[in-house]
Amino acid sequence: ECAFLYNPRLFTLESSMIVPYYYYYGRPGEPDPGLGFTVSPEGRVEARTELRGDTSYITRGFLVMNGHLAGERMIFIVNHWPSRAAASPVRERAGYQVRCLKDALMKQYPEAKIVIMGDMNDDPRDKSMTEGLACLHRQKDVKRPSDLFNPWWDMLYRVGQGTLMWDGKWNLFDQIVFTGNLLGTDRSTLKYLRGEVFMRDYLFQTEGRYKGNPKRTHAGGVWLNGYSDHLPTCIYLVKEKPPRRGVRNILTRRAAPPRRRGFGEPPRGGLEDSGLNIAQKASNGFPKTTTWNLKSGKCISRMHLPDFQFHAAARAVRGKHFDKNAARNGPERRARVFKPCGQRASRSFFVTLP
């Protein structure tokens, strides 16, 4: 029952296929059914349509979704490996098949970034993940773009948080792993930022014997109106937005520093009674400052404040979304600037009253 839900405004689907899972136990005389896909002479990966090997326990295949996200080729492989009613080698075989599938797709699309996700029915350090799928759990061990990184090791074994509870202990079966070309600090392309187990109060049982467990949809023939006995996991990918034409990109090009002056000092030309400085701390020691007219809400002078903060500041000034009292009470007469929705614009984003 593997499925892939996506926003067509963000992800453009190019092709999809189901690669079947083939059981193989390695018993004497048992022929190896091979893999659920073939590679054409042109190097194109194609799913098989026939069943092979032991078909006593037909299980879910691997859903491959190939497309573009943020202008880059992304391939998602959705999984639901055999349950723990089966022995570990069955899931190790699943990991091996997915690893071979990933390698073949990387040969077909060398620039692709691949995300492998789903309910693996195993924890991050089980053999299906560490040997079958060959995941690495330390970023420094990831050397090649095709290496797989598993960010959930520390979540389970250090933080102690999982996605499902069995016998009072957490397991983390619901994993999202990805190729090494999603790691790094160059955010001109898509990069991994962080991952989390999605936890909200409505996802948990609040009473009874299983209080604190993920709330099931039903159990024992009783409708519980819950979401699932598993918690969701998610990862965040980031990419820098390219600068608009004609706008200086301060992230890649150093602008000339402004004349050194203290926060709150009005620019040349006066307006001491109506000026408000909106500033961001700069690593070079110079303030990045834009001065506004509080009465008209218009910009008086703009230094090299980042473009996204400039527009946030404009909304804050025109909508009076800053705390004047907090600014006046503080020793440096400054306070946080708020967006119209009430959220902070930035941790180092503040106003200084004249």
Side-chain angles (χ1 to χ4, degrees):
E1 75 286 355
C2 292
F4 183 82
L5 306 180
Y6 66 95
N7 186 338
R9 292 181 297 177
L10 302 177
F11 180 72
T12 304
L13 181 64
E14 184 176 296
S15 63
S16 64
M17 61 180 174
I18 291 282
V19 176
Y21 170 95
Y22 289 157
Y23 281 96
Y24 177 63
Y25 303 100
R27 294 182 289 235
E30 179 185 7
D32 188 338
L35 302 170
F37 65 91
T38 60
V39 180
S40 69
E42 297 79 20
R44 187 171 57 252
V45 178
E46 299 173 346
R48 294 185 184 272
T49 56
E50 73 277 10
L51 294 176
R52 292 184 170 192
D54 187 350
T55 58
S56 302
Y57 304 99
I58 298 176
T59 190
R60 301 157 288 261
F62 315 112
L63 175 61
V64 181
M65 307 294 286
N66 177 17
H68 290 84
L69 178 68
E72 301 179 35
R73 182 171 297 279
M74 292 285 297
I75 300 177
F76 297 90
I77 304 177
V78 186
N79 303 260
H80 192 172
W81 293 356
S83 74
R84 289 208 161 183
S88 176
V90 174
R91 290 180 296 281
E92 294 170 34
R93 176 73 178 180
Y96 166 74
Q97 292 182 73
V98 174
R99 173 161 56 91
C100 293
L101 175 60
K102 179 265 299 181
D103 291 340
L105 289 169
M106 288 291 285
K107 289 182 180 179
Q108 182 178 353
Y109 304 104
E111 79 287 359
K113 296 175 178 178
I114 300 180
V115 176
I116 300 169
M117 58 188 184
D119 179 0
M120 312 303 190
N121 271 303
D122 267 337
D123 285 326
R125 67 180 174 194
D126 288 327
K127 292 179 70 175
S128 62
M129 298 299 296
T130 59
E131 297 181 15
L133 197 52
C135 292
L136 303 168
H137 68 274
R138 294 186 298 185
Q139 291 195 28
K140 66 179 183 180
D141 294 334
V142 179
K143 306 297 184 183
R144 301 174 299 172
S146 60
D147 288 342
L148 288 175
F149 175 67
N150 189 340
W152 306 104
W153 186 284
D154 289 346
M155 179 67 71
L156 181 61
Y157 303 120
R158 291 191 177 183
V159 179
Q161 180 60 53
T163 58
L164 72 152
M165 191 168 281
W166 179 259
D167 245 359
K169 296 180 180 180
W170 283 107
N171 292 101
L172 208 158
F173 290 174
D174 309 275
Q175 301 176 57
I176 306 172
V177 303
F178 46 85
T179 49
N181 50 12
L182 276 169
L183 294 175
T185 57
D186 175 17
R187 292 182 177 173
S188 61
T189 63
L190 280 171
K191 289 294 184 290
Y192 167 75
L193 179 64
R194 64 184 178 89
E196 69 169 319
V197 177
F198 187 82
M199 295 186 292
R200 298 294 184 270
D201 291 342
Y202 59 82
L203 295 175
F204 290 90
Q205 188 78 25
T206 56
E207 59 185 3
R209 176 182 174 186
Y210 297 104
K211 181 179 179 180
N213 286 25
K215 190 174 183 179
R216 295 171 175 263
T217 306
H218 57 83
V222 178
W223 181 261
L224 300 177
N225 200 31
Y227 280 83
S228 174
D229 59 335
H230 291 226
L231 296 174
T233 53
C234 57
I235 62 171
Y236 296 90
L237 304 178
V238 294
K239 182 178 181 178
E240 288 177 356
K241 187 176 180 180
R244 290 181 297 175
R245 192 167 184 174
V247 176
R248 180 185 293 273
N249 182 2
I250 68 165
L251 298 175
T252 58
R253 297 177 58 190
R254 172 169 291 190
R259 180 176 65 86
R260 194 180 188 94
R261 63 172 182 250
F263 292 126
E265 180 184 340
R268 299 189 190 96
L271 297 173
E272 290 85 355
D273 295 330
S274 60
L276 174 112
N277 283 348
I278 295 186
Q280 181 194 31
K281 293 178 181 178
S283 59
N284 60 5
F286 290 91
K288 297 178 181 179
T289 308
T290 298
T291 306
W292 302 80
N293 187 312
L294 285 177
K295 294 180 181 179
S296 66
K298 295 182 179 179
C299 179
I300 300 171
S301 67
R302 178 174 179 178
M303 300 294 182
H304 51 294
L305 193 73
D307 191 60
F308 75 96
Q309 291 194 352
F310 177 85
H311 294 296
R315 291 194 299 270
V317 172
R318 291 165 189 161
K320 308 299 183 187
H321 293 288
F322 52 87
D323 189 350
K324 291 184 179 180
N325 294 326
R328 290 196 173 97
N329 293 335
E332 299 182 15
R333 297 165 60 79
R334 68 185 188 182
R336 299 284 185 185
V337 172
F338 291 85
K339 291 182 180 179
C341 61
Q343 297 178 345
R344 279 185 285 187
S346 171
R347 292 186 178 275
S348 59
F349 200 33
F350 54 85
V351 301
T352 303
L353 294 179

